[in-house]
Amino acid sequence: MGHQRLPVPVQPVMDMTRVIKSLRSTHRATWCGTAWTSRKISLCAACGLSLVAIVSLLVTPRAVTIHAQSPAADTIFIGEILTLDRSHPKAEAMAVSAGRIVALGSRSEVEALATKNTLKITINGVALPGFADAHIHVAGVGEQLEKLNLRGLTKAEVLAKVREAARTSPNGSWITGGGWDEGFWRPAVFPTAKELDAVSADHPVALSRIDGHSTWINSQVLALAKIVRNTPDPDGGLIRRDSAHQPTGMLVDRAQELIRRVIPKTTHAEQEHRIRIALQQFSRWGLTSVHDAGVGLDTISVYKDLLKRGELPVRVYAMANGEAAITHYLANGPEFDLGNGMLAVRSFKLFLDGALGSRGAEMTDAYSDAPQEHGLELMKDTDLERIVLSARQRGFQVNTHAIGDRAVRRALDAFEKAGVTPNDRFRIEHASMVTNGDLSVFARLGIIASIQPVFVGEYSRWADDRVGPSRVHWVLRTHDLLNAGVILAAGTDYPASDSGSPLDTLYCAVTRQGADGKPEGGWYNDQRIDVDQALRMMTAGPAYAAFQEKDSGALTVGRYADFTVISADPYKVPSSDLRALAIRMTVVAGRVTFDSAEH
């Protein structure tokens, strides 16, 4: 397997004598003539600079200002550190000042930077660059933590949960939940309102499918929303119907908007609460950065409020979504770096199609298990091209949700027509079905594939039926994308997936098994990648996809002190045991946001 292409070229040190002379001329301090060696750190007694600091200036894209004396360390972390920096892959200690790494190397040499006020913390495990999730839904995670979790359940178990909720909830109150997947049911068919009616009493019930692109409702919700036999399908949506053309209780993609006017609205306080509990969960999962894949102005205002109060424990790269948010940012411009990199709003999220599981993903040819269906077009080409052009002119990245092969092709065509180059770093979110011909287009245009390795669990349950043997090899082709030279950024899409844990992302990418360990032997395991490729897809990939590779994605001098401590070295753990690893500590800007010893 080839290694993932590095987003930023590394310039090797070819002539150390010339380098030292150059540094001497700019350093403006007495040069002591210490013999430098590439095998270890040697601290210069006269200037306090370490070789790691000097070489890091040359092998990392960020230029670190050279001081006559290394800054005093606020905190020194001591233990086993895997940097994912190919020039200095391991260290025994890390010194941090003002949220950034100021030294890496042996314990004795890094501890020489300590003062009486320096805090020393022992790493109980193995430290890696902070895990990032390149595609997650933050408020959705918070909501999921508060409502019925239906993941992995049979239909009978789902109905039992609804019956219990109806028994214990106030009369007439809404029952909501999510995560069900008919792939676990036998037969694996979409459910009906009548099945919910039998267990829901007088409660309106709305249960979203695991992908978030369809909702199962009972007859009471159909009545409240006035969805009847002659209600037309909205543009980009589908009301599933029976043989008599009556609504069955399944709403797909834009048809879900028909019930939004009757579901109780989320207040600003409720949204902030959901975001808070989600961010806390992310810290427990070992995440130091998340890309929130589609938020409006209200959610962005919550992030800004939390930032002002110093209450953001995780870095957030927010993708603006919706007409109001996009219009606002096109008028006002991007927000690149708020709060020392804690928040950025410089990208737009666009939806081109739906999801494969709900048969909303846009296909060139019909679904194998539904010959009359080709999926849904959620955005027309003219609208896509208009926003892409406007975004480029105003300095915004465009991140398109595209799952079906036709949607992926439409996104690539729009990007190419607009003159998109690798410098724009445009993204296709999910890129679940990529044809052989489109692999090279991704690479040529520098389009980032923002993929979700945990989808292997869902796809293994029903993708063969959905797309058939002639197309199934296009689905979640991680290894093929890497080999084609495409830059990958890994995420989970949680709660629209089986798991939001980055350790499950690692496990699924390496084994091609779902978070539950199924299927045994993996699903189309020729698409497996190795541990190193997977870790870089979870660290350097998201950093590059968010224009943050100078500050994140590896542990080097000058970058943020963002790292995740896990229970063992993932390079030494059998692949079958990767999902048994545990998060021991999460650190953002040198501040511990989670410590398993305290929980």
Side-chain angles (χ1 to χ4, degrees), residues 10 23 71 88 94 216 282 335 356 364 369 376 445 448:
V10 173
L23 287 170
H88 299 283
M94 175 195 312
W216 175 20
F282 297 158
E335 296 172 319
L356 199 58
T364 302
D369 58 357
L376 299 169
L445 299 180
I448 299 162

Side-chain angles (χ1 to χ4, degrees), residues 320-517:
N321 171 247
E323 184 177 353
I326 291 175
T327 300
H328 168 83
Y329 276 100
L330 284 176
N332 293 278
E335 296 172 319
F336 295 108
D337 184 1
L338 305 177
N340 292 319
M342 293 305 299
L343 176 63
V345 188
R346 61 176 303 174
S347 65
F348 297 151
K349 169 75 177 298
L350 307 178
F351 287 87
L352 297 195
D353 68 344
L356 199 58
S358 296
R359 296 198 199 98
E362 190 183 14
M363 311 283 280
T364 302
D365 297 319
Y367 280 84
S368 297
D369 58 357
Q372 305 305 313
E373 298 185 31
H374 286 75
L376 299 169
E377 180 184 285
L378 302 190
M379 176 175 281
K380 298 187 182 302
D381 289 339
T382 52
D383 294 329
L384 171 62
E385 292 166 6
R386 173 178 52 82
I387 295 176
V388 166
L389 284 171
S390 298
R392 284 199 75 213
Q393 291 169 357
R394 295 290 285 148
F396 284 94
Q397 178 191 58
V398 174
N399 305 331
T400 60
H401 167 115
I403 287 183
D405 67 295
R406 177 164 169 74
V408 170
R409 162 46 55 185
R410 289 201 299 121
L412 292 173
D413 285 347
F415 292 165
E416 187 157 25
K417 185 175 181 179
V420 170
T421 72
N423 290 334
D424 295 307
R425 305 192 192 184
F426 279 22
R427 299 164 48 162
I428 293 184
E429 305 299 313
H430 310 307
S432 292
M433 293 186 68
V434 181
T435 65
N436 294 340
D438 283 343
L439 289 171
S440 60
V441 182
F442 268 89
R444 175 166 53 82
L445 299 180
I447 305 304
I448 299 162
S450 173
I451 67 171
Q452 295 72 47
V454 294
F455 277 8
V456 71
E458 298 165 57
Y459 289 160
S460 69
R461 295 193 286 270
W462 39 253
D464 288 87
D465 293 334
R466 290 285 190 275
V467 304
S470 65
R471 294 177 292 181
V472 73
H473 69 283
W474 297 346
V475 178
L476 198 62
R477 52 194 313 183
T478 312
H479 181 266
D480 290 346
L481 285 162
L482 277 178
N483 273 7
V486 180
I487 295 172
L488 301 186
T492 61
D493 198 23
Y494 200 72
S497 67
D498 289 342
S499 173
S501 165
L503 291 175
D504 284 335
T505 294
L506 176 63
Y507 172 80
C508 294
V510 172
T511 66
R512 289 290 286 192
Q513 293 173 277
D516 60 358

Side-chain angles (χ1 to χ4, degrees), residues 227-272:
I227 300 172
V228 295
R229 187 178 188 278
N230 61 357
T231 301
D233 289 334
D235 189 26
L238 176 67
I239 302 169
R240 293 205 174 273
R241 305 171 194 271
D242 61 20
S243 58
H245 205 64
Q246 294 290 347
T248 64
M250 277 290 296
L251 306 178
V252 183
D253 284 308
R254 294 272 167 79
Q256 295 174 108
E257 296 176 7
L258 298 174
I259 65 174
R260 287 183 182 169
R261 65 178 180 270
V262 298
I263 290 181
K265 299 291 188 294
T266 302
T267 66
H268 184 85
E270 289 171 335
Q271 188 77 340
E272 180 176 317

